[in-house]
Amino acid sequence: MNTKQCFENEKSNYTIFYGDIKAFNLQAQQIFSFCLTIFLLIYGMVVRYIGLLFNGIITPSFYLHLFHAFISFLIFLLFRYYFPRHEKYIVFVAHLNVIITILIMDIQYSLYSSVNSYTVTMSVILCTSVIVLGRFWHYLMIVTITFLADVTVFIISADRGYSTEMKIFYLTDIVLFILLMSALHLYFTSIQYRNFKQKRALKSLSERDSLTNLYNRKYIENVVNSYYGENESCAMILIDIDDFKKINDIFGHIKGDEILIETAENIAQEFRHTDCVARVGGDEFMIFIPNIICREKVLQKAERLSENFLYIKGEDDTLYTVSYSVGIAFEEKDGTGIFEELYKKADTAMYKAKTKKGVKGSNITVFER
């Protein structure tokens, strides 16, 4: 995989997992900002004590630590109380927090290296490589800004009498550290994307029927029970394959599975992406249609499905017709508990469709109160 493909793959992952990225940044920034606030307050008090003990004064570094702690606490409050309800700028502010942290820690050490630990400074900066997710070039831009800011501060303070050897060593140290941060962030990001993929795969397995790839009963039940239609009606359609047991007995389970898969594809093609289509039993399919404006269109869809026969060729070249019984129930209300009520109505209508006389394959019944 070349560099261009890597960046295209990274861009694709960012788009696909954008919701997961926002959730990660929301949680990670809360934890990091809160811990950093506590750490800076404690570390600031240590710096103050050392300054008073050895110099008899409070160094400016103490006040810079307090300022940084205040900024960090404000960012914690944003991610804790504001961004859970306003998600638009989560990723942007997460990167901004990384810039603020790196710049203040790095500049503080450059200006007051005599009272600040290099190990502590670099440890905090290194932590920023694993507390933010986004596009890699965004993070690369952040560390580049840090590099330029650090070099600028270094040039300003160059009158301290650094030797040429010391300057080269210092600049080399910065470049290597930035490369380390970028590599660590890239590796960390790849691990997170892998976790997101595994999480989605597991979620899909828990929500989907393994044979037809339609949703399962548990999923559609949650969708129906959480429906809020603002006084608009909804509908549930229940479809059952007629004499499916005979199909399995005569033609075998492999042919039966093929019929289930074809039926699932026909149903999925007929309905909108906002409708929920599920397999809720062996040969039973359910469709939940929210926010119905015209009931006639629902009936028309059901009629097209019931008339879309499948055929099985027997050993003597005889064609056997696969037909369906369809029950439909409409409901005006929404809220918890609506699934069981709709299911009972649709099931009652479907049972009537199975038992009523008429042309097989055109058995559609709408539940009547």
Side-chain angles (χ1 to χ4, degrees):
M1 185 180 290
N2 56 39
T3 304
K4 183 179 179 181
Q5 288 176 325
C6 287
F7 275 98
E8 287 178 353
N9 187 46
E10 189 262 346
K11 181 180 179 181
S12 175
N13 284 334
Y14 179 78
T15 303
I16 294 171
F17 300 113
Y18 185 64
D20 297 298
I21 289 170
K22 288 194 295 185
F24 172 86
N25 284 322
L26 184 66
Q27 185 178 27
Q29 293 299 315
Q30 286 183 45
I31 296 172
F32 176 74
S33 297
F34 181 78
C35 293
L36 184 61
T37 300
I38 302 300
F39 169 77
L40 289 171
L41 289 175
I42 296 173
Y43 192 61
M45 293 305 295
V46 172
V47 170
R48 178 179 180 275
Y49 175 77
I50 293 174
L52 288 173
L53 182 65
F54 292 98
N55 302 315
I57 60 171
I58 300 175
T59 61
S61 179
F62 167 70
Y63 298 105
L64 195 54
H65 278 306
L66 289 184
F67 172 73
H68 192 186
F70 175 72
I71 296 297
S72 184
F73 185 66
L74 287 181
I75 292 174
F76 164 74
L77 292 177
L78 280 175
F79 280 98
R80 181 68 179 85
Y81 297 105
Y82 179 76
F83 284 129
R85 294 186 295 272
H86 306 82
E87 299 181 348
K88 186 176 181 180
Y89 297 107
I90 286 179
V91 178
F92 172 76
V93 178
H95 283 82
L96 184 63
N97 187 28
V98 170
I99 292 177
I100 292 171
T101 302
I102 294 176
L103 286 179
I104 294 180
M105 293 297 296
D106 201 25
I107 291 173
Q108 181 158 253
Y109 176 77
S110 298
L111 294 177
Y112 308 106
S113 58
S114 60
V115 292
N116 285 281
S117 167
Y118 179 81
T119 303
V120 169
T121 301
M122 292 299 104
S123 296
V124 173
I125 292 176
L126 198 61
C127 284
T128 62
S129 62
V130 295
I131 54 99
V132 65
L133 276 184
R135 297 293 306 278
F136 176 70
W137 71 270
H138 289 167
Y139 189 80
L140 197 60
M141 183 175 63
I142 288 174
V143 294
T144 302
I145 292 173
T146 306
F147 171 76
L148 293 175
D150 201 19
V151 170
T152 303
V153 173
F154 178 74
I155 292 173
I156 293 173
S157 58
D159 56 352
R160 295 181 180 180
Y162 292 128
S163 64
T164 302
E165 182 183 1
M166 194 67 180
K167 291 177 182 178
I168 294 174
F169 176 78
Y170 187 76
L171 293 175
T172 303
D173 184 59
I174 292 173
V175 172
L176 291 176
F177 197 77
I178 287 174
L179 291 174
L180 173 63
M181 289 174 61
S182 300
L184 183 61
H185 178 72
L186 189 61
Y187 179 68
F188 172 76
T189 301
S190 66
I191 291 176
Q192 287 302 317
Y193 282 146
R194 196 180 311 145
N195 290 339
F196 292 156
K197 289 177 182 178
Q198 291 174 350
K199 179 182 173 183
R200 288 205 174 185
L202 290 173
K203 185 179 180 182
S204 179
L205 287 174
S206 67
E207 294 177 347
R208 297 279 181 174
D209 172 60
S210 59
L211 179 65
T212 62
N213 202 36
L214 296 179
Y215 290 114
N216 56 28
R217 171 168 174 158
K218 181 180 179 181
Y219 180 84
I220 196 171
E221 184 174 349
N222 290 332
V223 169
V224 176
N225 281 332
S226 61
Y227 168 67
Y228 182 72
E230 298 181 351
N231 298 320
E232 292 182 340
S233 63
C234 60
M236 179 180 288
I237 301 177
L238 213 54
I239 300 174
D240 187 81
I241 301 175
D242 295 328
D243 301 322
F244 185 69
K245 186 177 183 303
K246 289 184 179 180
I247 294 174
N248 279 331
D249 292 341
I250 297 173
F251 299 99
H253 289 279
I254 293 178
K255 178 58 70 174
D257 287 347
E258 291 175 1
I259 294 298
L260 289 172
I261 294 170
E262 281 191 67
T263 300
E265 291 174 351
N266 291 339
I267 295 172
Q269 290 173 4
E270 186 64 46
F271 292 90
R272 307 167 298 179
H273 71 279
T274 53
D275 303 329
C276 187
V277 181
R279 180 186 175 205
V280 294
D283 61 337
E284 192 170 270
F285 298 87
M286 179 184 291
I287 306 100
F288 176 68
I289 308 173
N291 305 323
I292 294 172
I293 299 175
C294 178
R295 292 193 176 194
E296 288 300 319
K297 289 186 178 180
V298 175
L299 296 175
Q300 289 171 7
K301 287 176 180 287
E303 287 176 2
R304 283 197 295 269
L305 282 174
S306 68
E307 293 169 359
N308 189 11
F309 303 148
L310 296 177
Y311 298 96
I312 306 175
K313 183 180 287 188
E315 294 181 356
D316 56 352
D317 291 335
T318 303
L319 288 179
Y320 294 85
T321 305
V322 179
S323 61
Y324 310 97
S325 295
V326 182
I328 306 174
F330 293 95
E331 186 58 72
E332 298 292 342
K333 67 179 182 179
D334 47 44
T336 304
I338 191 177
F339 176 81
E340 291 299 333
E341 187 174 349
L342 263 177
Y343 192 9
K344 287 178 182 178
K345 292 177 180 179
D347 190 57
T348 300
M350 188 185 69
Y351 179 76
K352 289 181 179 179
K354 275 187 172 295
T355 56
K356 77 177 184 179
K357 294 180 180 179
V359 180
K360 196 174 185 182
S362 300
N363 298 332
I364 301 176
T365 300
V366 178
F367 179 85
E368 302 291 347
R369 293 184 181 279

